[in-house]
Amino acid sequence: MKVIDEGPVQVQPARSARWKKHHAEDLAGRSYTFICVALLIVIIISIIYFVASKGLATFFRDGVSLGDFLFGTTWDPEGNQGEPQYGVLPFIFGSFATSLLAALIASPLSICASLFMTEIVPGWGKKLLQPVIELLAGIPSVVYGFIGLTVVVPFMRNVFPGQGIGIAAGALVLSVMILPTITSVASDALSSLPRGLKESSFALGATRWQTISRVILPTVLPSILTGVVLGMARAFGEALAVQMVIGNAPHIPRSLFESASTLTSVITLDMGNTVSGSVHSNALWSMALALMFMTFIFVLIVRLLERRHRI
Amino acid sequence: MQTTSFRTEHLSVFYGQYEAVKNISLNFPEQSVTALIGPSGCGKSTFLRSLNRMNDEISQAKIKGRIWIEGEDINDPSTDVIQLRQKIGMVWQKPNPFYKSIYENIAFGPKYHGVKQKKQLDEIVESSLRKAALWDEVKDRLKQSALSLSGGQQQRLCIARALSVKPRILLLDEPASALDPVSSSKVEELIVELKKELSIVIVTHNMQQAARISDYTAYFYLGTLMEHNETEIIFTNPENAMTQEYISGRFG
């Protein structure tokens, strides 16, 4: 390709009053948005710094080994049975177990609900379900926890062996809480599909079922997975509702119906009972750091899924 | 024009109260291309979509009149819409390959019509791609994603996909209007080639294209069929003054 070099472009702007006014507006708008972004970045970086400095102190200042922290199974920060021990594996296990189980329960329901809204009955299905889902998303988590405690836990106690509290109850409550997240991401993805894609499948003589299972779902799968990961991230970070129904015993439970804990439930429970700067308090910060780290990983997974989707 | 096995009889299409297509009777002779022309919103796409019951998907759409294909009234309750659509291929304005490999795109339809053997599927894929003049460009990368193809190639893939179920009729809704001139002329050549085996109905906004590739032309205006005749007559000596104005670009 030939590049035509016209030399430096000679511009002589007429700097009229109007030009100056527009220029000033432009500058003001640009500065304002820049300040907002800068503020956000500063806040995020300071949070990360704060959590990391507190959380890492457990290992660098208090000398707790990272291995003992991550893989130790005994949580005894006050040293009630001799040496204080800071093993958080039971909580990490609890967090993963509840959020994975919640995603497992919620995903099929959400995907079917979003299919119903977008493909099966796009008219009143959407009109009816959309507000319901928005409502579900708006219910405060303490209400979910309360309902869990008064409805789910007794139910579990009657149906399954044990006290009713535990990972199963936590996962059930969480699954209802993450339903809206997965459903709205999935239905957005479904309704943004080009209409021609569906029609091409129909035009080839495929039935609606074949079209949904072979064309529509495979096409939106990465987006649906994004929704599932976002839902899991929400479940992973949820504290209050889980804490109310899980029982809060610091052990790896032997069944889904035995009292257990998650990272978040331990932090909210112990927070008030520790002295700032103590090893116990720092250990809680380390757990917060671990939670934050997991959030980053969830975000990373979402990013990877989105990139794959674009190709 | 003699009466053929593919025709509409007093066909009207309603969206709710709105009559988008008004009382249209048209013949589509075999081994020929019929172009539907007319300004935007004149009902030609709606008409086209009703020919393979694509309007079933739109809940408010209602059909009056009849559409005959090989002695069968396609809107009769006893008609198997799955088999009907096997007889009629359709291609849209925007290329819309499935998010699958090139091979899977073509094999999709035949699989649902009972072709199970790999060898048979391979043959269908090859012959469909050859008919769509795409085989030589993609034969070494059949396993690659269909989305890796260029826009023009994607459109020919969609034509190949429509051909994979061996239809007798091909419906084309502005198949070349989203393509660059080279791809567009390739698609036109393809249409002329394909009409040896099929009857083709094409909606187009491009008058030159209609003149080049069609044997018959129907001019639609506000849901009404204004004129229908051999393309040569329509473009040289139309009966209707409005047709004359539309094709010469003074109106529409």
Side-chain angles (χ1 to χ4, degrees):
Chain A
M1 210 168 73
K2 220 171 103 185
V3 178
I4 301 161
D5 187 12
E6 292 179 281
V9 183
Q10 303 284 320
V11 184
Q12 284 178 337
R15 305 219 158 164
S16 63
R18 224 175 107 199
W19 185 89
K20 275 183 189 143
K21 183 167 166 272
H22 287 189
H23 188 70
E25 277 172 2
D26 196 37
L27 195 70
R30 194 195 293 241
S31 317
Y32 179 67
T33 47
F34 176 78
I35 289 167
C36 292
V37 168
L39 195 67
L40 265 179
I41 292 172
V42 167
I43 291 172
I44 290 166
I45 288 178
S46 7
I47 290 177
I48 294 173
Y49 173 77
F50 187 73
V51 175
S53 69
K54 289 268 202 182
L56 291 174
T58 319
F59 311 115
F60 293 118
R61 216 193 56 206
D62 305 326
V64 177
S65 96
L66 185 65
D68 286 347
F69 180 76
L70 286 179
F71 302 111
T73 52
T74 313
W75 173 253
D76 184 16
E78 299 296 335
N80 296 333
Q81 289 136 24
E83 273 300 282
Q85 281 184 289
Y86 303 97
V88 299
L89 189 66
F91 313 143
I92 295 177
F93 173 83
S95 284
F96 272 107
T98 44
S99 45
L100 272 173
L101 209 57
L104 228 56
I105 299 168
S107 304
L109 289 172
S110 311
I111 292 167
C112 292
S114 56
L115 278 174
F116 183 83
M117 269 162 63
T118 52
E119 302 296 331
I120 315 283
V121 200
W124 62 262
K126 189 151 200 151
K127 259 184 219 144
L128 184 81
L129 270 172
Q130 193 82 39
V132 171
I133 282 158
E134 279 158 15
L135 209 68
L136 273 183
I139 295 176
S141 53
V142 66
V143 176
Y144 277 111
F146 209 14
I147 296 172
L149 196 60
T150 46
V151 179
V152 178
V153 170
F155 173 77
M156 288 288 187
R157 188 162 45 218
N158 294 337
V159 177
F160 298 104
Q163 295 290 303
I165 49 179
I167 287 179
L172 214 58
V173 170
L174 281 176
S175 68
V176 181
M177 296 180 72
I178 65 175
L179 264 177
T181 314
I182 307 178
T183 310
S184 56
V185 173
S187 60
D188 281 352
L190 284 170
S191 48
S192 70
L193 269 188
R195 201 172 70 171
L197 209 59
K198 196 168 68 175
E199 289 185 334
S200 306
S201 172
F202 284 134
L204 287 167
T207 60
R208 194 184 242 183
W209 168 251
Q210 290 162 339
T211 302
I212 289 175
S213 64
R214 298 295 164 81
V215 177
I216 293 176
L217 279 183
T219 310
V220 297
L221 191 66
S223 307
I224 289 180
L225 285 177
T226 302
V228 172
V229 174
L230 285 174
M232 272 185 69
R234 164 131 208 247
F236 207 80
E238 175 53 41
L240 206 54
V242 181
Q243 181 212 312
M244 288 166 84
V245 298
I246 202 166
N248 303 307
H251 314 293
I252 295 182
R254 270 163 300 172
S255 86
L256 294 176
F257 312 103
E258 209 172 274
S259 176
S261 296
T262 65
L263 288 170
T264 47
S265 68
V266 173
I267 294 174
T268 46
L269 272 181
D270 285 12
M271 205 164 45
N273 310 326
T274 59
V275 182
S276 174
S278 68
V279 190
H280 188 178
S281 161
N282 283 346
L284 293 184
W285 281 109
S286 305
M287 285 156 68
L289 187 65
L291 273 173
M292 220 162 69
F293 185 71
M294 273 315 298
T295 313
F296 290 147
I297 290 188
F298 282 128
V299 171
L300 204 70
I301 295 172
V302 169
R303 282 299 176 92
L304 284 176
L305 284 172
E306 277 173 353
R307 189 172 308 162
R308 246 198 67 203
H309 190 45
R310 243 175 274 144
I311 296 168
Chain B
M1 267 182 290
Q2 82 266 32
T3 307
T4 54
S5 60
F6 182 25
R7 65 180 201 279
T8 66
E9 234 175 60
H10 306 295
L11 181 73
S12 298
V13 184
F14 298 85
Y15 291 128
Q17 294 294 311
Y18 174 68
E19 191 174 10
V21 169
K22 294 171 189 162
N23 194 19
I24 290 181
S25 301
L26 258 182
N27 277 331
F28 303 103
E30 272 165 50
Q31 300 187 347
S32 69
V33 177
T34 304
L36 310 181
I37 62 170
S40 298
C42 67
K44 55 195 189 307
S45 283
T46 303
F47 178 78
L48 191 78
R49 288 168 57 85
S50 61
L51 296 180
N52 68 343
R53 287 184 53 178
M54 265 300 134
N55 289 328
D56 285 12
E57 292 307 312
I58 300 166
S59 52
Q60 299 106 333
K62 291 256 161 2
I63 304 251
K64 237 174 75 186
R66 285 159 186 265
I67 302 165
W68 294 98
I69 291 174
E70 293 171 349
E72 200 179 5
D73 175 4
I74 70 163
N75 290 305
D76 193 272
S78 67
T79 299
D80 179 1
V81 70
I82 307 295
Q83 286 203 335
L84 166 77
R85 285 176 180 160
Q86 192 184 351
K87 282 186 208 159
I88 311 168
M90 185 157 185
V91 175
W92 281 260
Q93 176 178 13
K94 248 184 84 191
N96 48 17
F98 300 139
Y99 289 40
K100 298 175 187 291
S101 70
I102 295 167
Y103 183 94
E104 286 297 323
N105 260 277
I106 311 290
F108 181 86
K111 271 186 188 168
Y112 285 133
H113 296 291
V115 182
K116 293 274 186 296
Q117 281 176 315
K118 173 102 175 57
K119 202 169 151 241
Q120 232 179 325
L121 279 174
D122 287 350
E123 278 169 20
I124 292 174
V125 169
E126 179 172 346
S127 69
S128 306
L129 285 169
R130 275 191 195 283
K131 278 185 205 157
L134 192 60
W135 174 252
D136 291 331
E137 292 164 55
V138 301
K139 65 181 176 204
D140 300 323
R141 48 180 178 139
L142 292 174
K143 295 278 169 247
Q144 278 182 29
S145 165
L147 300 174
S148 66
L149 298 173
S150 73
Q153 288 173 325
Q154 285 186 14
Q155 192 63 311
R156 279 180 283 148
L157 180 75
C158 291
I159 295 174
R161 185 175 64 186
L163 296 174
S164 68
V165 291
K166 303 199 168 62
R168 314 287 309 278
I169 296 155
L170 196 57
L171 309 176
L172 305 168
D173 194 351
E174 299 182 53
S177 65
L179 304 179
D180 66 87
V182 176
S183 306
S184 172
S185 69
K186 273 190 187 162
V187 169
E188 281 183 24
E189 282 169 30
L190 192 57
I191 293 168
V192 173
E193 193 59 36
L194 287 173
K195 79 166 182 188
K196 291 172 189 162
E197 296 173 30
L198 310 140
S199 9
I200 295 175
V201 185
I202 176 173
V203 165
T204 179
H205 279 291
N206 183 331
M207 291 307 109
Q208 284 80 28
Q209 187 177 68
R212 274 195 300 267
I213 64 175
S214 70
D215 304 295
Y216 301 94
T217 298
Y219 172 60
F220 280 58
Y221 181 67
L222 295 179
T224 316
L225 178 63
M226 303 298 281
E227 190 166 354
H228 175 219
N229 214 327
E230 286 173 34
T231 300
E232 224 184 296
I233 298 173
I234 292 267
F235 277 87
T236 52
N237 192 17
E239 285 168 20
N240 193 312
M242 272 177 83
T243 314
Q244 170 73 45
E245 283 190 5
Y246 181 73
I247 57 173
S248 59
R250 263 175 283 163
F251 157 78

